[in-house]
Amino acid sequence: MDRKYTILVADDTAEIREVLKVLLESEGYNVVEAVDGQDAIDKVDENTSLIILDIMMPVKDGYKACTEIREKTMAPILFLTAKTEDQDKTMGFCLGGDDYMVKPFSFSEIVARVRALLRRYYVYRNNEEESGKLIKIGDLVIDTDKNNVTVGGNEVILTDIEYNILLLLASNRKKIFTNENIYESVWNEMYVYSASNTVTVHIRKLRSKIEKDPQNPRYIKTVWGRGYRIE
């Protein structure tokens, strides 16, 4: 591991925090513990590399904590919860979450998810082939050197997933990407049927940030029955 990543584990169950702390520290990560949503918000800082966030917590639940954490950092957020409904996953993604795991979880899977999120956020973003270039589409500008996006001169704050979806489409203008194409390119994981909704939610959230009228998008076009593209 080239750098020492710091992971914030927020869960009101002491046993789960302890298990995750031992597990992640054995993989070489620093671990900071938070006992509820407000504690998580308070402990997030510039050194936080990734947040593992339980949803059902006292004081402030994971959803509310996620919203406030996104005002402080765009570091990846992995929701950890007993909730299994698709609407709960959709809510998490809409609020800025990057991934979602259901309890009980396997140790090998959570380590794999953590590695994948860190790799996408800190390695891929720092080694982009388009580094140093500006991609301009109308009023939308992607600075791939600084990894930032502006629309009409105003900066738009995107999550890592949203940024990578936009960059994928913008770097391959006129090419149609299916949900499967997008998921496997951005998440770097094998596509499964349930991932289609995940992609759809992120496209919707991305449009809400870059489009003046998300219902009639100017940038990310839907090609019905096929996928998405930027013309």
Side-chain angles (χ1 to χ4, degrees):
M1 189 180 299
D2 294 331
R3 56 170 288 184
K4 192 81 168 180
Y5 294 108
T6 296
I7 299 176
L8 174 64
V9 176
D11 197 300
D12 60 323
T13 303
E15 292 81 0
I16 291 178
R17 294 199 308 274
E18 181 62 24
V19 166
L20 289 174
K21 180 179 175 65
V22 171
L23 176 65
L24 294 170
E25 286 184 343
S26 72
E27 295 292 321
Y29 302 111
N30 291 323
V31 176
V32 175
E33 297 180 54
V35 299
D36 57 51
Q38 185 60 55
D39 193 25
I41 295 166
D42 294 340
K43 289 181 176 176
V44 166
D45 59 26
E46 67 275 5
N47 296 315
T48 306
S49 308
L50 180 144
I51 303 102
I52 297 177
L53 197 60
D54 185 31
I55 289 181
M56 301 302 290
M57 291 189 292
V59 185
K60 283 186 179 177
D61 64 25
Y63 292 145
K64 293 179 182 177
C66 178
T67 299
E68 294 193 39
I69 286 171
R70 276 287 169 255
E71 296 176 359
K72 301 176 69 174
T73 179
M74 298 309 292
I77 293 177
L78 169 61
F79 279 116
L80 189 64
T81 179
K83 290 177 172 286
T84 59
E85 296 295 329
D86 284 343
Q87 63 188 32
D88 297 317
K89 297 180 183 180
T90 299
M91 173 68 77
F93 289 136
C94 284
L95 293 174
D98 296 279
D99 205 350
Y100 198 107
M101 284 192 66
V102 177
K103 301 174 184 177
F105 53 85
S106 72
F107 297 158
S108 60
E109 183 179 7
I110 197 164
V111 168
R113 297 287 187 92
V114 165
R115 286 175 178 165
L117 286 168
L118 290 171
R119 184 170 62 246
R120 284 201 301 266
Y121 190 75
Y122 295 100
V123 179
Y124 290 171
R125 287 190 75 168
N126 290 334
N127 292 284
E128 297 193 308
E129 295 179 356
E130 301 249 351
S131 180
K133 294 177 61 179
L134 294 179
I135 299 176
K136 298 181 179 180
I137 305 166
D139 291 336
L140 184 147
V141 179
I142 305 171
D143 186 333
T144 60
D145 187 39
K146 298 179 181 178
N147 292 323
N148 78 332
V149 176
T150 59
V151 177
N154 298 312
E155 184 174 4
V156 179
I157 304 301
L158 302 179
T159 66
D160 180 51
I161 294 291
E162 292 162 356
Y163 175 83
N164 284 327
I165 290 174
L166 180 60
L167 183 62
L168 175 69
L169 297 175
S171 299
N172 299 275
R173 294 178 68 173
K174 299 187 183 302
K175 180 177 179 179
I176 298 172
F177 286 86
T178 64
N179 282 349
E180 181 176 355
N181 296 150
I182 293 172
Y183 187 81
E184 292 190 345
S185 297
V186 173
W187 276 261
N188 198 36
E189 297 175 7
M190 183 176 294
Y191 177 81
V192 293
Y193 180 75
S194 61
S196 180
N197 185 57
T198 298
V199 173
T200 300
V201 169
H202 280 85
I203 291 287
R204 186 187 310 138
K205 188 69 173 178
L206 177 56
R207 280 174 168 163
S208 74
K209 294 181 178 182
I210 67 171
E211 303 281 3
K212 182 177 293 185
D213 181 1
Q215 300 302 315
N216 296 285
R218 175 183 179 187
Y219 303 112
I220 301 177
K221 303 285 190 178
T222 298
V223 182
W224 296 109
R226 300 179 66 186
Y228 306 95
R229 72 178 174 195
I230 290 180
E231 296 177 346

